[in-house]
């Protein structure tokens, strides 16, 4: 829940990534490379300061996470985002992490973003079209769908990596079912107090869950409840 820097001192994407490396949030060369290639500035509303380490409102009572949370989730999922693997981004919002996942698994992999606000799905597709992940949108290895993310997207399951960008009161069984043996899910869990949980499915299908850090996310809920705030 910490903020590593504030203000407009960092005004470019590369500077944001360098700060995240300096603070020890990004430890892997691959994650740094991906976050440098996908410019966060393309995925925030007009007028926002994209490179400040802070979550931002994106409309519809939704937010885009702070850069340090995106970096943390990419680090946690890196081994499950190898070329050719399958990734599911639940609550894909403006499409930033979906685009990062697509670059990591490559065109031989499959990346799915799901979001229940149709306007955000349209916005995310426009954003991805301007980014380095645009060719994968065109070739069909990256897709974004309007649906209730709590149900996942069974069509392309099982997934090596699942990321959930909103806090669930408990881990949805549908998402556990859609996780591949050997796969990993990163999901915030809780209501008033929330923890980022790392869910690993062993090769025999057994589930292990550990807590990574305390977090504060908007709730994973129905479209109607979210719009009512």
């Amino acid at each position: 829940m910490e903020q590593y820097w504030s203000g407009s001192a960092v005004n470019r994407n590369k500077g944001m990534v360098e700060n995240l490396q300096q603070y020890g949030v990004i430890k892997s060369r691959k994650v740094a490379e991906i976050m440098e290639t996908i410019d966060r500035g393309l995925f925030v509303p007009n007028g926002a300061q994209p490179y400040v380490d802070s979550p931002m409102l994106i409309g519809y009572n939704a937010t885009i996470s702070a850069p340090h949370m995106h970096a943390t989730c990419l680090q946690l999922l890196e081994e499950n985002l190898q070329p050719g693997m399958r990734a599911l981004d639940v609550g894909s919002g403006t499409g930033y992490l979906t685009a990062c996942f697509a670059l990591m698994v490559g065109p031989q992999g499959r990346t799915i973003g799901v979001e229940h606000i149709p306007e955000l799905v349209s916005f995310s597709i426009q954003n991805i079209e301007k980014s380095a992940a645009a060719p994968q949108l065109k070739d069909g290895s990256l897709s974004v769908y309007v649906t209730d993310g709590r149900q996942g997207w069974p069509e392309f399951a099982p997934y090596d990596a699942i990321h959930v960008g909103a806090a669930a009161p408990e881990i949805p069984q549908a998402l556990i079912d859609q996780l591949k043996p050997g796969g990993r899910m990163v999901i915030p869990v809780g209501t008033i107090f929330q923890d980022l949980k790392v869910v690993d499915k062993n090769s025999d299908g057994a589930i292990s869950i550990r807590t990574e850090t305390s977090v504060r996310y908007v709730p994973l809920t129905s479209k109607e409840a979210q719009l009512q705030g």
Side-chain angles (χ1 to χ4, degrees), residues 205-223:
I207 297 292
S208 62
I209 303 172
R210 68 175 174 82
T211 297
E212 177 69 19
T213 185
S214 295
V215 290
R216 192 85 191 115
Y217 278 74
V218 296
L220 183 71
T221 184
S222 69
K223 178 185 170 185

Side-chain angles (χ1 to χ4, degrees), residues 17-182:
V17 175
E18 286 168 353
N19 268 17
L20 290 167
Q21 289 176 296
Q22 198 178 318
Y23 286 108
V25 183
I26 295 178
K27 301 175 181 73
S28 126
R29 181 176 293 177
K30 183 67 179 172
V31 169
E33 184 187 300
I34 293 293
M35 288 185 73
E36 277 186 19
T37 306
I38 299 293
D39 189 338
R40 183 179 159 93
L42 300 173
F43 292 86
V44 300
N46 286 338
Q49 291 184 342
Y51 311 119
V52 171
D53 190 36
S54 170
M56 286 173 195
L57 293 168
I58 56 173
Y60 313 98
N61 291 316
T63 58
I64 178 172
S65 295
H68 78 267
M69 284 311 309
H70 283 152
T72 297
C73 292
L74 286 167
Q75 288 278 159
L76 288 168
L77 290 168
E78 182 179 8
E79 294 306 312
N80 297 83
L81 292 167
Q82 299 298 315
M85 289 185 171
R86 292 186 174 209
L88 174 66
D89 188 18
V90 174
S92 48
T94 68
Y96 174 78
L97 265 191
T98 323
C100 291
F101 293 164
L103 238 57
M104 289 182 87
V105 302
Q108 63 273 55
R110 198 80 175 73
T111 304
I112 303 294
V114 292
E115 167 61 56
H116 60 190
I117 306 290
E119 294 86 349
L120 285 178
V121 171
S122 302
F123 183 52
S124 70
I125 289 169
Q126 290 166 16
N127 298 338
I128 293 166
E129 283 171 343
K130 296 180 222 160
S131 80
Q136 287 170 245
L137 202 57
K138 198 170 181 182
D139 70 22
S141 61
L142 162 58
S143 321
V144 189
Y145 298 103
V146 180
T147 192
D148 183 339
R150 295 171 296 183
Q151 305 307 317
W153 194 257
E155 184 183 352
F156 296 107
Y159 299 97
D160 299 277
I162 299 178
H163 166 264
V164 183
E170 54 200 30
I171 301 168
Q173 186 60 45
L175 298 182
I176 292 173
D177 293 345
Q178 289 172 41
L179 195 61
K180 191 177 185 176

